[in-house]
Amino acid sequence: MDAFYASVELLRYPELKGLPVVIGGRRRHQPQTLPDGTRRFATLREYSGRGVITTATYAARAFGVNSAMGMMKAAQLCPQAVLLPADFDEYRRHSRAFKAAVAEVAPVIEDRGIDEIYIELTDLPGAQDAVGHDAFGGVRAIAQEIRNNVRRATGLSCSIGVTPNKLLAKIASELDKPDGLTLLTEADLPTRIWPLPVRRINGIGPKAGARLAALGIATIGDLAARPRQELIAHFGRSQGRWLHEAAHGQDERPVITHSEPVSVSRETTFERDLHAVADRAQLGAVFTELCQQLAADLQRKGYRSRTIGIKLRFDDFRTVTRDHTLAEATAEAATIRRTAGLCLKRVDLARRLRLLGVRAAGLVRA
């Protein structure tokens, strides 16, 4: 989906269409309805705190504002950007709607998160057919039908990459955003894929990217030009072989229609550091709310948890985690709160806190 959270908000506030908008504010940044019926929106210019941007409209991205960027930095780049609080219940509702719309056309789907899926098109009727002089006209028409169905069901646009495998589909889906349909074959690798930065390969993170840069490898084409054995010598047998295959667009992973989650978590970063004693009431309220939200997530997804844990980040950026395994799995807010409280007692809380989180692991079906 294209700038998913922001696009959902534009459905609610159509007067913001075409304007730079960022998602990630607190409840106090909720728009205010004025006596004349118009709305007053908060902007980054008025923001102070340590929050990060969840997502941004393409108009905001034009100013260099991106997801996971600190909002104070974003305010320097685009102070006029409208700031909206996240509404995850609404995003989940639209997520279910867009996936249902896709499934009406192509039912074999791998869920990759709230706004992203892989779709198996190979065996759909007409997918292998040519249309006129277009050898891929059949599958192109199916992809267009999916896009149309999503827009009818949700009012939102999506971008689709049609390729031989999942690795290339991930890259292709981002080439012509927003509202793009990109079809690539192996013959397109030299012109469309190899000129891209090597970090565009899903699975090459900052550390691997830095190691590749140290070897003079900046683009996917640079990576493809290196012999397999050279990459194995630098990165080990498994990763070196994978890097070589990925650079050549090779990926044998199937579309997986079902997988069990490993854990579920909720966390929040405070706008100012809080102390366990001086800010006990505020911390306690936030802690309880996180546990209640986590319990609701488990119940909605149909799971119970055997292991409850906490995550703390202090004002010196040190992160601490603690876990406690229960005799019986639970999805009850009171039990989660009590168990997380036991974990909290095992941590020295002398320093102020930046972040507080609660996690449920060891999941079993309810």
Side-chain angles (χ1 to χ4, degrees):
M1 300 300 288
D2 298 325
F4 182 53
Y5 297 171
S7 297
V8 171
E9 295 296 345
L10 293 184
L11 292 178
R12 182 162 27 197
Y13 306 116
E15 65 265 43
L16 298 179
K17 187 174 182 180
L19 299 178
V21 178
V22 300
I23 311 301
R26 302 284 181 169
R27 291 175 184 171
R28 60 186 172 87
H29 299 115
Q30 196 73 34
Q32 299 174 0
T33 302
L34 303 177
D36 62 359
T38 61
R39 285 182 279 241
R40 181 190 180 279
F41 296 94
T43 66
L44 284 178
R45 183 179 288 108
E46 305 155 11
Y47 180 82
S48 63
R50 291 195 309 236
V52 297
I53 290 173
T54 304
T55 193
T57 59
Y58 290 98
R61 296 180 190 188
F63 288 88
V65 175
N66 291 298
S67 301
M69 176 181 288
M71 279 200 272
M72 293 299 288
K73 180 178 179 181
Q76 296 175 346
L77 297 172
C78 187
Q80 73 274 26
V82 171
L83 174 60
L84 295 173
D87 183 350
F88 289 102
D89 289 339
E90 188 70 0
Y91 307 151
R92 281 189 284 265
R93 187 176 73 81
H94 278 81
S95 177
R96 291 190 293 269
F98 104 73
K99 291 170 185 176
V102 172
E104 290 177 0
V105 179
V108 181
I109 293 171
E110 178 177 337
D111 196 330
R112 295 300 299 168
I114 196 168
D115 65 345
E116 182 178 76
I117 56 177
Y118 288 113
I119 314 165
E120 181 58 77
L121 302 178
T122 306
D123 297 324
L124 290 179
Q128 306 297 331
D129 296 346
V131 176
H133 296 292
D134 184 357
F136 302 101
V139 72
R140 197 188 305 272
I142 292 172
Q144 184 59 52
E145 184 180 359
I146 290 172
R147 294 169 69 227
N148 293 343
N149 221 37
V150 168
R151 188 179 289 277
R152 279 194 298 267
T154 67
L156 301 171
S157 70
C158 64
S159 294
I160 298 179
V162 181
T163 71
N165 56 54
K166 287 160 63 172
L167 181 141
L168 290 177
K170 171 71 172 175
I171 298 174
S173 69
E174 299 172 348
L175 290 180
D176 297 308
K177 277 182 172 286
D179 201 21
L181 198 171
T182 306
L183 194 151
L184 297 180
T185 68
E186 292 181 0
D188 297 309
L189 285 174
T191 57
R192 298 299 306 272
I193 301 300
W194 285 353
L196 299 173
V198 74
R199 288 280 309 276
R200 293 291 288 273
I201 294 176
N202 191 33
I204 297 182
K207 291 183 179 179
R211 291 176 65 188
L212 289 168
L215 297 173
I217 298 173
T219 68
I220 299 176
D222 294 338
L223 183 60
R226 298 299 177 97
R228 180 195 300 261
Q229 288 306 123
E230 179 185 344
L231 296 174
I232 289 175
H234 285 287
F235 292 91
R237 187 170 194 80
S238 177
Q239 188 179 16
R241 183 169 53 195
W242 175 80
L243 286 169
H244 186 267
E245 292 173 353
H248 287 85
Q250 300 168 9
D251 181 17
E252 299 299 325
R253 294 173 300 156
V255 171
I256 300 171
T257 57
H258 177 74
S259 62
E260 297 289 344
V262 176
S263 64
V264 179
S265 64
R266 286 277 188 161
E267 64 181 45
T268 187
T269 300
F270 304 120
E271 294 194 358
R272 65 176 181 87
D273 299 335
L274 300 181
H275 192 274
V277 176
D279 302 295
R280 181 174 181 177
Q282 183 178 353
L283 274 172
V286 171
F287 195 35
T288 298
E289 183 179 14
L290 289 173
C291 293
Q292 291 170 342
Q293 291 172 342
L294 182 61
D297 291 342
L298 289 170
Q299 293 165 17
R300 186 182 67 256
K301 296 177 180 181
Y303 289 99
R304 291 176 295 141
S305 168
R306 289 197 182 98
T307 301
I308 303 299
I310 61 169
K311 175 183 175 182
L312 306 174
R313 183 167 296 135
F314 294 98
D315 57 1
D316 59 356
F317 290 91
R318 181 172 55 94
T319 300
V320 172
T321 60
R322 294 289 186 271
D323 295 312
H324 182 87
T325 299
L326 299 163
E328 295 184 6
T330 186
E332 296 299 320
T335 304
I336 292 172
R337 175 65 172 82
R338 183 169 60 253
T339 307
L342 293 175
C343 296
L344 202 59
K345 291 180 179 179
R346 293 158 47 199
V347 181
D348 181 358
L349 299 175
R351 298 197 70 98
R352 290 182 173 272
L353 291 167
R354 292 178 58 90
L355 176 146
L356 175 62
V358 186
R359 184 176 77 104
L363 303 183
V364 295
R365 280 289 177 184

